[in-house]
């Protein structure tokens, strides 16, 4: 009984661990390019680039030039604010 409970719990925890690994890989690659993870993800949202974290992590590890291009677009989008804050 206990083994079944642990297996059930850990199948869900594995998903959490894998997502954390993806975020760590993306963060490391983005730091090499001089950005923070949160700024990168905010820029991705502003640039309307919809790539999930799994693919971004794979690009960060396997295809650094492609990841650098995505990061550059994210940086440009985060620097240009289409809605400046009102005073």
């Amino acid at each position: 009984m206990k083994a079944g409970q642990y297996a059930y719990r850990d199948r869900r925890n594995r998903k959490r661990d894998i997502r954390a690994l993806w975020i760590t890989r993306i963060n490391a690659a983005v730091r090499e390019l001089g950005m923070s993870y949160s700024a990168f993800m905010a820029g991705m949202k502003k640039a309307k680039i919809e790539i999930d974290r799994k693919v971004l992590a794979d690009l960060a590890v396997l295809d650094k030039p492609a990841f650098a291009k995505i990061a550059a677009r994210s940086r440009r989008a985060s620097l240009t604010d289409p809605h400046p804050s009102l005073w």
Side-chain angles (χ1 to χ4, degrees), residues 15-29:
K15 293 166 183 58
R16 181 188 322 157
D17 295 341
I18 295 298
R19 181 180 168 99
L21 176 65
W22 295 335
I23 290 171
T24 303
R25 287 179 175 173
I26 295 167
N27 187 24

Side-chain angles (χ1 to χ4, degrees), residues 56-70:
L56 283 172
D58 285 342
L59 285 174
V61 172
L62 301 174
D63 193 3
K64 291 189 185 281
F67 186 80
K69 288 181 183 179
I70 293 170

Side-chain angles (χ1 to χ4, degrees), residues 19 22 26 40-41 44 49-59:
R19 181 180 168 99
W22 295 335
I26 295 167
F40 173 72
M41 293 309 283
M44 293 277 291
I49 300 173
E50 295 181 4
I51 302 176
D52 63 359
R53 286 170 179 82
K54 179 180 179 180
V55 174
L56 283 172
D58 285 342
L59 285 174

Side-chain angles (χ1 to χ4, degrees), residues 30 33 35 40 44 66-76:
V30 167
L33 300 173
M35 293 178 70
F40 173 72
M44 293 277 291
F67 186 80
K69 288 181 183 179
I70 293 170
R73 285 187 59 190
S74 172
R75 180 181 300 220
R76 276 196 306 271

